[in-house]
Amino acid sequence: MAILEYASLMADEIRRVPLAELQTRLANFRAAMDEQHPGWQMAVVNDKVNMYYFTGTMQEGALVIRPQDEILWVRRSFDRARNESLLPDIREMKSFRTLAEFYGTVPDEIYLECKKATVEWLNMLRKYLPFKAYADIDGLLCNLRLTKSVYELELMKRSGAIHQTVLEQLAPKMINEGVTEAELAVELYSAMLRRGSHGIARMNLPLGEDVIGVASFGKSGLVRTAFDGPGGTGGTCIAVQSIGSPFRKLKQGRLVYLDIPCGVEGYHTDKTIVYYFGDINKDPNRDLILAAHEHCLMLERFAASMLKPGVVVEDIYNETMKHFDARFADGFMNGGKFLGHSIGLTMDESPAIAGRFKQVLTENMTFALEPKIALPGIGMVGSENTYLVTPNGGKALTGSPHKLNCIF
């Protein structure tokens, strides 16, 4: 298909990030740079997520921001970038030599995203733009993305509505004896996709992969993965530690742990729900399972009540953990180091709801709260929902903490 035909085809199907939204983000970036790095002259954004945040497109290239201008330089694909982004100044580049020819002499110090920049990329940039030093702006960019705009919140609310519908209303109809973990995960994923989900869970930390989530039955939820999350799975195979087993079939008397992410137009919500397949009153571990699950719901509600402007993140963790029942300590949250995390363009944004995080909450930040307990020999219980910071405490975007319902 020719490029012009592709652009015409996509024109009616894409929903561009509004220009006013992009301009506000760039203005906020410059204000933060002026405050934290007075006299700065040039910043280069290369990570695809931050490129999307500032330009509304993800391409191979570089966004160069100066106090007086911003230019998106694109190596591939220029036509797609022009079709998707409303940023006024988008230019083609063959290599970083194009930037050197345009900018000429560069500042002695430039500002970069060090977390996602490879050594190869940095060496190539430095070859053509011979700056003497560079400084890290990862923290600054993270802080800018923490507080969501009306536009961003609308997308997260749409995602949350899909999440609630699929995991609370549709999932019980899909949980049937003999279904495999992988089959159930894919069915839930497909249901979200049909309702408008963008189809992946984009991760920030290198331990995570952009996948469709996890469905675990019984003890398989206890299998640790490389990702630093409380829930587990054997995965589809040794090489893929996610989704669920294509061989493990659901039987009566098993916990069904569902952590299937959702997102709309780049913005994610996170939700986990646990069901019991069968009659829990016949389970010899009934009291332990219900007590552990209800304890998680209590912790989530308490932490959510503290999601107010002016509250320090570590105080949410410390105050909530004062109510923690020590009998569950061994199985709580991979050692009990955190209760949740910020969320937005990636699932696992910073800060985490944990000790030593001094971030002060402001209205319209978003966090996922996920207290969960691993019960040896049984499986995972707990809950997770995504919340909006408001003056009245956290407002759930994905539904409220969900009691342990039985499915027969």
Side-chain angles (χ1 to χ4, degrees):
M1 183 180 291
I3 291 174
L4 289 179
E5 290 177 321
Y6 166 79
S8 176
L9 175 66
M10 294 295 292
D12 295 330
E13 299 176 358
I14 63 175
R15 293 168 293 278
R16 298 172 180 85
V17 181
L19 178 58
E21 184 78 12
L22 301 178
Q23 290 172 331
T24 297
R25 295 173 184 181
L26 287 162
N28 291 340
F29 173 80
R30 289 189 171 96
M33 288 293 290
D34 289 341
E35 179 181 351
Q36 298 181 31
H37 306 287
W40 72 282
Q41 298 178 55
M42 179 180 285
V44 181
V45 173
N46 72 291
D47 174 57
K48 62 182 181 181
V49 174
N50 284 320
M51 182 182 288
Y52 180 78
Y53 182 74
F54 287 118
T55 71
T57 189
M58 291 184 178
Q59 306 301 331
E60 182 185 356
L63 171 64
V64 179
I65 307 174
R66 299 188 294 179
Q68 68 271 30
D69 63 12
E70 66 278 335
I71 300 175
L72 175 59
W73 297 93
V74 179
R75 183 157 56 185
R76 187 171 60 245
S77 156
F78 177 70
D79 293 280
R80 181 163 182 160
R82 289 291 301 270
N83 188 46
E84 293 177 347
S85 174
L86 295 176
L87 199 73
D89 203 343
I90 304 175
R91 308 189 189 195
E92 288 187 277
M93 61 177 280
K94 294 182 178 180
S95 71
F96 286 126
R97 185 190 300 276
T98 305
L99 274 63
E101 293 170 352
F102 179 84
Y103 291 105
T105 303
V106 297
D108 287 343
E109 182 177 52
I110 66 173
Y111 294 84
L112 305 173
E113 302 168 275
C114 297
K115 193 170 187 178
K116 296 296 178 69
T118 64
V119 174
E120 179 184 23
W121 183 88
L122 183 60
N123 288 339
M124 190 63 67
L125 180 67
R126 206 166 206 165
K127 176 180 178 181
Y128 294 105
L129 300 178
F131 50 90
K132 294 180 180 179
Y134 61 90
D136 180 2
I137 55 171
D138 286 306
L140 182 149
L141 294 172
C142 178
N143 286 335
L144 285 178
R145 282 166 41 189
L146 268 177
T147 302
K148 308 303 189 293
S149 67
V150 172
Y151 167 80
E152 293 173 299
L153 289 177
E154 181 58 33
L155 297 178
M156 293 188 71
K157 289 175 182 178
R158 284 167 54 190
S159 177
I162 296 170
H163 231 152
Q164 184 174 9
T165 296
V166 173
L167 290 190
E168 293 186 9
Q169 298 177 26
L170 301 184
K173 302 173 185 177
M174 301 177 186
I175 298 173
N176 300 300
E177 189 160 11
V179 68
T180 69
E181 293 176 339
E183 286 172 340
L184 180 56
V186 171
E187 283 187 44
L188 293 167
Y189 159 82
S190 298
M192 291 182 185
L193 199 63
R194 288 192 295 270
R195 286 162 177 76
S197 173
H198 59 215
I200 64 168
R202 182 164 283 128
M203 309 303 291
N204 177 42
L205 296 177
L207 293 175
E209 294 184 293
D210 296 351
V211 294
I212 66 172
V214 167
S216 298
F217 303 156
K219 291 184 288 186
S220 67
L222 305 175
V223 179
R224 292 291 183 90
T225 69
F227 182 65
D228 188 21
T233 177
T236 59
C237 61
I238 294 175
V240 179
Q241 300 180 12
S242 60
I243 303 175
S245 169
F247 309 108
R248 187 175 178 84
K249 296 181 178 182
L250 183 58
K251 299 178 181 179
Q252 291 282 327
R254 297 288 186 270
L255 289 166
V256 179
Y257 175 87
L258 303 176
D259 187 356
I260 312 293
C262 188
V264 170
E265 296 181 34
Y267 287 86
H268 302 79
T269 52
D270 210 356
K271 181 178 178 67
T272 300
I273 196 165
V274 179
Y275 292 97
Y276 187 92
F277 185 62
D279 185 355
I280 196 170
N281 292 317
K282 297 179 180 180
D283 195 308
N285 297 302
R286 173 191 178 279
D287 292 346
L288 175 64
I289 293 171
L290 291 178
H293 188 76
E294 287 297 325
H295 191 58
C296 290
L297 302 189
M298 182 277 292
L299 295 173
E300 181 181 334
R301 293 188 185 100
F302 185 90
S305 72
M306 293 190 67
L307 289 175
K308 299 178 181 180
V311 175
V312 178
V313 167
E314 69 171 357
D315 291 344
I316 300 173
Y317 175 81
N318 292 333
E319 291 301 313
T320 301
M321 292 305 291
K322 288 180 181 179
H323 300 273
F324 180 68
D325 188 335
R327 64 177 161 152
F328 300 120
D330 290 342
F332 184 66
M333 298 294 289
N334 284 355
K337 297 179 180 179
F338 72 105
L339 287 170
H341 50 87
S342 178
I343 187 170
L345 282 172
T346 62
M347 295 288 296
D348 52 337
E349 302 207 343
S350 183
I353 305 294
R356 300 184 299 281
F357 282 91
K358 307 296 184 181
Q359 180 78 42
V360 178
L361 299 187
T362 62
E363 193 168 359
N364 293 341
M365 288 181 176
T366 48
F367 289 87
L369 299 177
E370 54 171 331
K372 297 167 185 174
I373 295 173
L375 298 174
I378 301 172
M380 291 292 301
V381 294
S383 175
E384 180 176 21
N385 284 290
T386 300
Y387 292 87
L388 173 66
V389 175
T390 79
N392 297 318
K395 179 181 179 181
L397 302 180
T398 53
S400 301
H402 199 278
K403 68 178 184 178
L404 187 63
N405 286 339
C406 293
I407 298 175
F408 297 94

